[in-house]
Structure formats: C-alpha cells, structure tokens
Amino acid sequence: MAQSPRARRAPLDPRLVREVRAARRHVVRTVALGLVQAVCVIVTALVIARLGSDLLEQRDVPQGTPVLLLVLVGALAVRAGAVLVQEATAHRAATAAISDLRRRVVGHAAQLGPRAGAGRGADLTALATSGLENLRPYLVGYVPQLLLSATVTPLCLLVIGLLDPLSAVIALVTLPLVPLFMILVGKLTVGRSERLLADMRSLWAQLLDLVDGLPTLRALGREKGPERTVRRLGDRHRTSAMGSLRYAFLSSMVLELLATLCVALIAVSIGMRLVYGEMELLPALAVLVLAPEIYQPLRNVGAQYHASTDGLAAVGAAFEVLDEEAPADGDRPAPDLQDAVLALRGVSVRSRDGLAPHRAALEVRPGRVLALTGPSGAGKTTAVQVLLGLLEADEGRAEVLAPDGTAIPVRELRRRSLWDQVAYLPQRPVLPAGTIRSVLAAARPDADQDALEAAAVATGLDAVIAERGWEADLGRAGRGISLGERQRLALARAVLSPAPLVVLDEPTAHLDGAAEQVVLDLLVALREAGRTVVVIAHRSRLVELADDVAGVEAGR
C-alpha cells in the first residue's frame, strides 16, 4: 500500500535510507563527517579562547605560542576538508540515488504492464526525469544540515555546559524556538510541494502528449488549439513555483533573525558577567565562539526546508509506483513456439466502457498467419497483450499447448522465456537511438551485412538507406525519419529477429499502397520461412492473406 502523506513527513525518509544503498551510505558518511566537524569546531573555539585571553590578560601575542597556532590552522584545515568531502560525496550520492530510484521506477512500471501505465505514461516520464531530480537538493542540502544538527549542535552544547552552565541553560531554552518557527512556517506551506510536483507532472504529460500527436494535429489543421491549455498549465506552474520561493525567502529571514537574537542573549549575559567580574575571560570567549555553531545547523535545516518537502514529495511519488503490486512471474520455462500453440479461452478484460475483449477465443498455430479482426475499441491489442502475458485477464485464461498436448497457463511461465521468442511490432514503433545500421544490428547482433541488406530489401527500407545512408543518425524512437519509414525499419528488425512468433499491430497503418504490398509479400515470406505471424488487421488485404481469422468483440 502507498504511504500516506503524513507518514512520509519524517525529515529523513526511513524507506529511502533503508532501500536505496547510495542514500544509506550518504547518511553514514555525513554523520562521520559531522562528528569530525564538531571536534574541529570545539578545538577551534578553545584555541581561539586561549589565544585571546592570553593576548588580552597577559599581553602575549599569538606568535609566542606557535603550537596553538598550528593546532588552530590544522583544525580549520580539517574542517574545510570535511566540508569539501561532504559536498563532493553528497552530489555523487544524490546522482547514484536518483539513478537507482529512476531505474526501479521505470523497471517496475514495465512489470506492471501496459494496462497499469495506460493514461499515465507521460506522468511516469515526468516523475522519472524532472520529478526525481528534486531529490538532489534534498540529499545535497537538507540531509547534511539535518545530520549536522544531530552531531555538531549537541556536542557544542555539551562543551558550553561544561564551560558555563548558565549559557547552556539559555541555549537550551531558546534552541526549541528554531524548530517551533520551522513548524509554523511549514504549516503555511503544507501541501505546496505536492501541488507543485503535481502541476509539473501535469504540464509534462500535456506537453509530451502534444509533441507525440503533433503530426496528426498538423494533418488535421488543429496545431493551434492546444497552445492555450499549455499556456494555462505553464502559468499555473509558474505561480506555484513563485509562491514557494516567497515562502522560502520569508522562512529564511525569520530563522536568521531568530538565531541572531538567541546568540545575542547569550552574548549579553556573558558581557554583563564579565563587567561585574563573575566570569573568566577564557570560557567566555570559548562560549561566544561556540554559541553560533549551536544554532547554525538548525537554521540551515529551516532554510533547506522547502528542498526537503520537494524531495520527500518525489520520494513518496516514486514509492507509490513501487508499492503497486506487479503480476507474479511464473516458474516454468515456455515451450518452443516453433511447435507450440498459443490460445485464448474465453478471455474478457474490463475497460472503461465494459469488457474489451469479451469472451475472446482464438488459437495461434505454428507456421501460420492469424488475422485478428474487430471494430476499433473491441480489444484486439488487449487480447494480444493477454496472449503474451503482458496483461492478466479478468475472465478466462491464456495458455500454451505444448507439442505433447500439455496445456500450460501463460501466468505460470517465466515471461522472459516467452518474450525472448516473440518479435512484437506495435502501431507506433519503439526504436532505440543510433544509426540505421546499429538499430538494425541490435535485433540480431550476429547478422552480417548481407543479412542486413536482405532485411532492408524485404521491407522496402533499402529506398530509405539509398537516400540517407546506413550511418544516418536517428534520435529517440526513430526521430529523424518519417513514421512510415520508422515502420519499415521496425519491420526489418522483426525480419532479422530469430523469434519464431511475430506479432504485428496494424503494420500497414502508416504506409501507402505500394508499401502495403511490400508488407503483404513480407508476411508470405515469413510464413514460408516457418515463422508464426499474428497480425491485428483492419484492411481487407491483410485479412485475405491470413490462414486463420479470429474476431474480437466488446461487451458489457
């Protein structure tokens, strides 16, 4: 179950420390460096007090005690080194923690399947990119100051108590005022970080959907319509961000003023007692040097409070995804699909409008072409996802019939052993970045140049290569070539793949008549090569070519 917002309000998220190794190491290292800094602060205060009292009382210049000067310089150098190490390691730890969480979120979202991510793909993209980046100021700025307040503050307070109990009492009385004002400021900003993150993710989702749909919008002449929505979301995000900045500046000013007044109370008390001869100079100077160090970490914690809320909001959103239960993987290896039959038995899957598909029944026999037909929204793609173990059916089952007649439910199979035997081409091709040659070669690393060229000719990709060359760079998802050219490239990857089962979702959707004939010839070639093909088809020519036809319908 996802954690409630209240449960995630701990200053140092225990689950982040427990489950992210980089964050755990960062906490341990920061505590050790905090102890080093505390010792250096105490040594520095005592040495400065000794040098100052000798100078003021006995007129002994600091040059007369070189050992104390060396100790002072050494303490300052060690403290500076500890701060530098902390800053450097904090950035590396933040990068490692963000990478770890990003990998886990993306991997778990993939395990949840396409239905779990339906309608929120762009939202997950925003969380895995800019959303998790909010962890960086949290781990770099807030967590070190929080841990310093747990190391430097109590040790300095202990030393002050040994030197001057009255000053320690004043510090103990005034010290809770800092977190008290932090809480008051926090109440003013409660929920603001969650709203800011939600606004950002909503804006990202809209922008990503708009960018992906720009070719269709331009074709329909509607590219000018969504700009008002994007502008409105941008204004909302800017207003929320500026509101957070105003509260951040206000809280920093309040905490700075409060810490200054608290130190002033200690200084006034010490000054009055020095005037009346009730206190010696050496402990007075030491306490005056140590007093600001008591409040400094807590003051910095308050200044970094907004970084903590942004970071904890990102952590909470990430663990909400990770807490969703993924379908359990099976423990049986998948049979060889060259001889096995994939089947759906009365499969129904709930959708927003009812059941799509409704009681779907089909068999995918080896070495044949199966056309899956039905109206839009009937659940053809969903039926294929159930068949491949990407989605659990609400009714019915998907199974594999081994050559000996044994029926094995797909949910009992190790999905990787099944997916390694499948080449799946969705309506919008999913392609890695790289050159045309590298993208093709990734489908079968051991393929030679002749095999690459044969696949290009079989899919009509050779015309694209003749125009652009084998080394033409492609961006993410094949950016740089048209949608139809991407379809041909994805088809060539399916041809190169050694997988015995090829699943094509509307392979001619983005192709003209001539290119459609190339796909039809390709299906014939795949069948003659003994490979099994499942094609989701609307066009009649694809249906006529198929050996078997299965209809899918929606229901209520």
Side-chain angles (χ1 to χ4, degrees):
M1 296 296 293
Q3 293 176 312
S4 67
R6 292 285 183 187
R8 294 196 303 268
R9 278 300 179 187
L12 185 60
D13 194 299
R15 187 168 178 182
L16 177 67
V17 177
R18 184 173 61 250
E19 299 190 16
V20 181
R21 184 170 59 178
R24 183 166 59 251
R25 290 179 175 177
H26 175 52
V27 169
V28 174
R29 184 169 48 243
T30 303
V31 169
L33 292 173
L35 292 174
V36 172
Q37 293 184 55
V39 172
C40 292
V41 167
I42 294 170
V43 171
T44 301
L46 294 177
V47 172
I48 290 177
R50 169 59 65 183
L51 294 175
S53 63
D54 289 346
L55 177 63
L56 295 176
E57 292 179 345
Q58 304 174 13
R59 299 295 188 267
D60 291 337
V61 295
Q63 291 85 341
T65 52
V67 175
L68 289 179
L69 288 177
L70 289 176
V71 172
L72 177 61
V73 172
L76 293 174
V78 171
R79 185 182 184 185
V83 172
L84 289 176
V85 171
Q86 177 184 300
E87 290 289 336
T89 56
H91 282 283
R92 287 197 294 267
T95 300
I98 291 170
S99 299
D100 186 11
L101 268 181
R102 180 177 291 135
R103 174 184 55 79
R104 292 173 60 185
V105 167
V106 173
H108 191 73
Q111 291 180 3
L112 291 175
R115 180 57 60 91
R120 67 173 193 181
D123 186 62
L124 285 173
T125 301
L127 172 62
T129 52
S130 58
L132 286 178
E133 280 298 324
N134 287 327
L135 269 178
R136 189 174 302 278
Y138 170 71
L139 290 173
V140 173
Y142 180 79
V143 170
Q145 297 303 323
L146 182 66
L147 297 176
L148 283 178
S149 67
T151 53
V152 174
T153 296
L155 288 177
C156 290
L157 190 59
L158 176 62
V159 174
I160 290 178
L162 296 175
L163 295 173
D164 182 23
L166 180 58
S167 296
V169 170
I170 296 175
L172 282 174
V173 172
T174 57
L175 197 59
L177 295 177
V178 178
L180 176 62
F181 275 82
M182 288 169 53
I183 293 173
L184 293 177
V185 173
K187 288 186 177 296
L188 293 176
T189 60
V190 62
R192 180 169 294 275
S193 295
E194 285 81 358
R195 291 195 298 272
L196 181 62
L197 182 60
D199 287 346
M200 178 193 66
R201 290 164 65 179
S202 176
L203 178 62
W204 267 82
Q206 292 281 349
L207 287 175
L208 289 174
D209 290 342
L210 177 62
V211 170
D212 286 340
L214 272 179
T216 304
L217 292 174
R218 287 183 61 86
L220 297 176
R222 297 294 302 276
E223 67 273 15
K224 297 294 185 181
E227 62 185 9
R228 290 188 296 273
T229 301
V230 175
R231 185 182 298 112
R232 185 175 65 253
L233 286 170
D235 291 340
R236 191 176 73 187
H237 182 266
R238 182 171 58 253
T239 301
S240 180
M242 292 304 297
S244 294
L245 288 176
R246 283 195 295 269
Y247 279 108
F249 289 133
L250 175 62
S251 62
S252 297
M253 183 191 71
V254 170
L255 294 173
E256 186 75 24
L257 178 61
L258 180 63
T260 302
L261 292 176
C262 292
V263 174
L265 288 175
I266 297 176
V268 169
S269 171
I270 291 174
M272 296 300 295
R273 283 182 289 155
L274 284 174
V275 169
Y276 290 102
E278 298 176 358
M279 187 176 184
E280 295 182 0
L281 182 59
L282 190 150
L285 292 176
V287 171
L288 286 175
V289 174
L290 287 174
E293 301 292 344
I294 297 176
Y295 301 96
Q296 182 69 32
L298 281 177
R299 184 175 59 186
N300 292 338
V301 167
Q304 297 284 344
Y305 174 76
H306 295 278
S308 77
T309 56
D310 293 342
L312 290 173
V315 171
F319 281 119
E320 282 180 5
V321 176
L322 296 176
D323 284 338
E324 294 186 36
E325 186 175 355
D329 200 7
D331 56 1
R332 304 177 63 176
D336 189 350
L337 295 187
Q338 288 183 338
D339 304 313
V341 176
L342 280 168
L344 295 182
R345 308 298 188 192
V347 166
S348 297
V349 179
R350 291 188 182 89
S351 66
R352 288 175 295 182
D353 300 322
L355 298 173
H358 177 53
R359 297 178 181 174
L362 58 89
E363 287 190 351
V364 182
R365 292 181 284 178
R368 298 173 67 86
V369 177
L370 170 69
L372 203 57
T373 63
S376 297
K380 299 184 294 296
T381 300
T382 302
V384 169
Q385 291 170 353
V386 174
L387 189 70
L388 299 180
L390 295 167
L391 185 65
E392 288 285 343
D394 294 303
E395 298 176 9
R397 69 185 186 279
E399 61 185 22
V400 180
L401 301 177
D404 61 0
T406 304
I408 307 173
V410 170
R411 67 166 63 93
E412 296 182 5
L413 299 176
R414 290 199 299 268
R415 289 179 176 82
R416 176 56 59 187
S417 66
L418 175 64
W419 296 340
D420 286 342
Q421 302 184 64
V422 179
Y424 181 41
L425 176 60
Q427 289 189 28
R428 285 188 170 273
V430 178
L431 300 170
T435 64
I436 293 179
R437 183 190 304 276
S438 66
V439 172
L440 268 182
R444 198 175 81 192
D446 61 343
D448 55 16
Q449 183 62 28
D450 292 338
L452 297 180
E453 292 178 355
V457 171
T459 57
L461 185 65
D462 54 337
V464 180
I465 295 173
E467 178 183 353
R468 300 176 181 269
W470 283 98
E471 305 304 324
D473 285 322
L474 306 180
R476 184 181 65 88
R479 302 293 182 187
I481 56 178
S482 69
L483 194 56
E485 292 170 341
R486 283 179 238 163
Q487 192 82 359
R488 298 181 192 182
L489 179 56
L491 283 170
R493 284 168 53 87
V495 171
L496 279 172
S497 170
L501 174 61
V502 180
V503 179
L504 306 176
D505 192 347
E506 286 293 332
T508 60
H510 310 292
L511 304 177
D512 54 22
E516 181 184 24
Q517 184 60 46
V518 172
V519 175
L520 297 176
D521 296 338
L522 176 61
L523 294 180
V524 174
L526 290 173
R527 178 172 55 193
E528 292 176 350
R531 301 176 72 176
T532 307
V533 181
V534 176
V535 56
I536 298 175
H538 278 120
R539 296 190 182 183
S540 58
R541 298 181 68 186
L542 285 174
V543 178
E544 293 168 358
L545 179 66
D547 301 307
D548 305 307
V549 179
V552 174
E553 296 180 352
R556 293 189 178 276

